[in-house]
Amino acid sequence: VESVGRIFVAIGFPAEVRMAIAATASARLPGAIVPPENLHLTLRFLGDTSQLGLERVSAALDEASFPAPFVIRIGALGAFPNSTRASVVWLGVTGDGDDLAHLHEAVEESCVAAGFEPEERPFRPHVTLSRMRPPVDARSILTGTPSVDVSSRVDEVVVLRSHHGRRPPRYELLERFAL
Protein backbone atom coordinates (compact mmCIF):
# COMPACT_ATOMS: atom_id res chain seq x y z
CA VAL A 1 0.00 0.00 0.00
CA GLU A 2 1.49 3.27 -1.08
CA SER A 3 2.10 5.94 1.56
CA VAL A 4 0.71 9.45 1.11
CA GLY A 5 3.42 10.66 3.49
CA ARG A 6 4.31 11.06 7.14
CA ILE A 7 1.11 12.29 8.77
CA PHE A 8 0.46 13.77 12.20
CA VAL A 9 -2.35 15.44 14.11
CA ALA A 10 -1.40 18.64 15.90
CA ILE A 11 -2.33 21.94 17.44
CA GLY A 12 -1.18 24.75 15.20
CA PHE A 13 -0.50 28.23 16.51
CA PRO A 14 -1.35 31.64 15.09
CA ALA A 15 1.60 33.55 13.63
CA GLU A 16 1.93 35.89 16.63
CA VAL A 17 2.22 32.93 19.03
CA ARG A 18 4.80 31.19 16.81
CA MET A 19 6.83 34.42 16.59
CA ALA A 20 6.65 34.96 20.37
CA ILE A 21 7.84 31.39 21.00
CA ALA A 22 10.63 31.73 18.43
CA ALA A 23 11.77 35.15 19.71
CA THR A 24 11.81 34.19 23.36
CA ALA A 25 13.15 30.69 23.26
CA SER A 26 15.18 30.07 20.14
CA ALA A 27 17.76 32.84 20.48
CA ARG A 28 20.50 30.85 22.20
CA LEU A 29 19.70 27.24 21.42
CA PRO A 30 22.18 24.87 19.77
CA GLY A 31 21.45 22.57 16.86
CA ALA A 32 18.87 22.86 14.11
CA ILE A 33 16.38 25.51 15.23
CA VAL A 34 12.78 24.82 14.23
CA PRO A 35 11.65 27.74 12.05
CA PRO A 36 8.65 29.71 13.38
CA GLU A 37 6.31 28.43 10.64
CA ASN A 38 6.94 24.83 11.80
CA LEU A 39 6.17 25.35 15.49
CA HIS A 40 3.26 23.16 16.62
CA LEU A 41 2.21 20.77 19.38
CA THR A 42 1.87 17.18 18.14
CA LEU A 43 -1.16 15.34 19.50
CA ARG A 44 -0.53 12.09 17.57
CA PHE A 45 2.17 11.08 15.10
CA LEU A 46 0.84 8.52 12.61
CA GLY A 47 3.98 8.05 10.48
CA ASP A 48 3.82 6.78 6.91
CA THR A 49 0.11 6.58 6.17
CA SER A 50 -1.90 5.17 3.26
CA GLN A 51 -4.63 7.16 1.54
CA LEU A 52 -7.21 4.87 3.16
CA GLY A 53 -5.63 5.40 6.60
CA LEU A 54 -5.72 9.16 6.08
CA GLU A 55 -9.38 9.02 5.01
CA ARG A 56 -10.27 6.86 8.01
CA VAL A 57 -8.52 9.13 10.50
CA SER A 58 -10.16 12.20 8.94
CA ALA A 59 -13.59 10.58 9.21
CA ALA A 60 -12.93 9.62 12.85
CA LEU A 61 -11.70 13.13 13.72
CA ASP A 62 -14.80 14.55 12.06
CA GLU A 63 -16.93 12.53 14.52
CA ALA A 64 -14.70 13.07 17.59
CA SER A 65 -15.99 14.55 20.84
CA PHE A 66 -13.53 17.40 21.27
CA PRO A 67 -13.62 19.70 24.29
CA ALA A 68 -14.78 23.30 23.85
CA PRO A 69 -12.04 25.75 22.76
CA PHE A 70 -9.55 26.48 25.55
CA VAL A 71 -6.29 28.29 26.23
CA ILE A 72 -2.92 26.65 26.85
CA ARG A 73 0.15 28.26 28.33
CA ILE A 74 3.55 27.32 26.99
CA GLY A 75 6.72 28.01 28.88
CA ALA A 76 8.62 25.26 30.68
CA LEU A 77 11.91 24.53 28.90
CA GLY A 78 12.98 20.89 28.79
CA ALA A 79 14.95 18.31 26.81
CA PHE A 80 14.52 14.80 25.43
CA PRO A 81 15.62 12.22 26.36
CA ASN A 82 17.21 14.19 29.27
CA SER A 83 19.19 17.35 29.98
CA THR A 84 22.63 15.69 29.91
CA ARG A 85 22.17 13.99 26.51
CA ALA A 86 19.65 16.26 24.81
CA SER A 87 18.69 15.55 21.21
CA VAL A 88 15.62 17.83 21.44
CA VAL A 89 15.04 21.05 23.36
CA TRP A 90 11.37 21.88 23.83
CA LEU A 91 8.84 24.10 25.57
CA GLY A 92 6.25 22.35 27.67
CA VAL A 93 2.70 23.24 28.56
CA THR A 94 2.35 24.87 31.97
CA GLY A 95 -0.67 25.14 34.21
CA ASP A 96 -3.93 23.21 34.02
CA GLY A 97 -3.74 20.60 31.29
CA ASP A 98 -7.16 18.97 31.68
CA ASP A 99 -8.61 20.34 28.44
CA LEU A 100 -5.43 19.41 26.57
CA ALA A 101 -5.54 15.91 28.07
CA HIS A 102 -9.16 15.53 26.94
CA LEU A 103 -8.28 16.75 23.45
CA HIS A 104 -5.37 14.30 23.27
CA GLU A 105 -7.63 11.43 24.40
CA ALA A 106 -10.22 12.30 21.72
CA VAL A 107 -7.51 12.38 19.02
CA GLU A 108 -5.98 9.12 20.26
CA GLU A 109 -9.39 7.41 20.30
CA SER A 110 -10.02 8.65 16.74
CA CYS A 111 -6.68 7.28 15.53
CA VAL A 112 -7.28 3.89 17.15
CA ALA A 113 -10.83 3.79 15.73
CA ALA A 114 -9.29 4.49 12.31
CA GLY A 115 -7.13 1.37 12.63
CA PHE A 116 -3.85 2.78 14.02
CA GLU A 117 -2.09 1.02 16.88
CA PRO A 118 -2.52 2.72 20.27
CA GLU A 119 0.34 5.03 21.21
CA GLU A 120 2.42 3.30 23.87
CA ARG A 121 4.40 6.29 25.08
CA PRO A 122 2.77 8.67 27.57
CA PHE A 123 1.62 12.01 26.15
CA ARG A 124 4.24 14.69 26.89
CA PRO A 125 2.79 17.88 25.38
CA HIS A 126 5.61 20.03 24.03
CA VAL A 127 6.69 22.36 21.25
CA THR A 128 10.02 21.28 19.72
CA LEU A 129 12.42 24.23 19.45
CA SER A 130 15.71 22.63 18.39
CA ARG A 131 17.18 19.25 17.40
CA MET A 132 20.78 18.27 18.12
CA ARG A 133 22.78 15.55 16.38
CA PRO A 134 24.79 14.29 18.17
CA PRO A 135 23.10 14.93 21.54
CA VAL A 136 24.53 17.67 23.76
CA ASP A 137 24.65 18.45 27.47
CA ALA A 138 21.86 21.03 27.68
CA ARG A 139 21.88 21.72 31.43
CA SER A 140 23.39 25.21 31.07
CA ILE A 141 20.97 26.03 28.24
CA LEU A 142 17.95 24.94 30.27
CA THR A 143 19.00 26.90 33.35
CA GLY A 144 20.43 29.91 31.48
CA THR A 145 17.57 30.59 29.07
CA PRO A 146 14.96 33.05 30.35
CA SER A 147 11.59 31.48 31.03
CA VAL A 148 8.87 31.88 28.45
CA ASP A 149 5.19 32.49 29.07
CA VAL A 150 3.07 32.39 25.94
CA SER A 151 -0.66 31.67 25.81
CA SER A 152 -2.53 30.33 22.81
CA ARG A 153 -6.19 29.65 22.21
CA VAL A 154 -6.84 26.10 20.98
CA ASP A 155 -9.94 26.03 18.79
CA GLU A 156 -8.99 23.39 16.20
CA VAL A 157 -6.76 20.43 15.48
CA VAL A 158 -4.96 20.09 12.18
CA VAL A 159 -3.76 17.15 10.12
CA LEU A 160 -0.32 17.81 8.64
CA ARG A 161 1.93 16.03 6.16
CA SER A 162 5.65 16.25 6.78
CA HIS A 163 7.89 16.69 3.72
CA HIS A 164 11.43 15.63 4.57
CA GLY A 165 14.59 15.51 2.52
CA ARG A 166 15.36 19.18 2.87
CA ARG A 167 16.27 21.00 6.06
CA PRO A 168 14.09 22.09 7.69
CA PRO A 169 11.16 19.82 6.86
CA ARG A 170 8.08 21.45 5.38
CA TYR A 171 4.64 20.82 6.85
CA GLU A 172 1.61 20.81 4.59
CA LEU A 173 -1.82 21.47 6.08
CA LEU A 174 -4.23 18.77 4.92
CA GLU A 175 -7.28 19.34 7.10
CA ARG A 176 -8.67 21.37 10.00
CA PHE A 177 -11.18 20.15 12.59
CA ALA A 178 -12.87 22.78 14.77
CA LEU A 179 -13.33 22.20 18.49
Side-chain angles (χ1 to χ4, degrees):
V1 178
E2 192 170 320
S3 168
V4 294
R6 293 166 53 94
I7 305 296
F8 61 99
V9 183
I11 295 170
F13 300 114
E16 63 272 13
V17 171
R18 293 193 314 266
M19 297 312 283
I21 292 170
T24 342
S26 304
R28 300 199 318 262
L29 298 179
I33 304 295
V34 175
E37 64 272 15
N38 282 2
L39 293 170
H40 65 276
L41 191 154
T42 299
L43 294 167
R44 181 60 149 83
F45 180 72
L46 299 173
D48 287 324
T49 304
S50 69
Q51 182 64 41
L52 181 59
L54 179 59
E55 290 168 8
R56 284 181 175 162
V57 95
S58 293
L61 289 168
D62 207 31
E63 299 293 321
S65 297
F66 293 135
F70 59 95
V71 173
I72 58 171
R73 293 180 71 173
I74 304 156
L77 212 54
F80 289 138
N82 58 55
S83 60
T84 57
R85 283 190 39 83
S87 57
V88 171
V89 172
W90 47 263
L91 279 176
V93 175
T94 60
D96 177 17
D98 283 353
D99 289 322
L100 182 57
H102 292 139
L103 179 59
H104 172 258
E105 286 167 19
V107 168
E108 177 66 18
E109 287 169 8
S110 296
C111 293
V112 171
F116 290 87
E117 290 295 315
E119 177 60 67
E120 293 178 11
R121 292 178 298 184
F123 180 52
R124 299 274 308 272
H126 67 280
V127 179
T128 297
L129 300 175
S130 177
R131 291 183 175 84
M132 287 75 63
R133 302 279 184 275
V136 301
D137 183 335
R139 289 176 291 190
S140 63
I141 297 158
L142 299 181
T143 57
T145 302
S147 61
V148 177
D149 186 9
V150 179
S151 293
S152 186
R153 178 176 164 84
V154 178
D155 55 13
E156 68 178 6
V157 297
V158 294
V159 176
L160 301 170
R161 177 182 359 223
S162 177
H163 295 273
H164 285 271
R166 298 181 304 146
R167 289 277 178 214
R170 186 173 62 80
Y171 300 135
E172 175 188 1
L173 175 66
L174 298 179
E175 289 194 81
R176 300 174 184 269
F177 296 92
L179 267 53

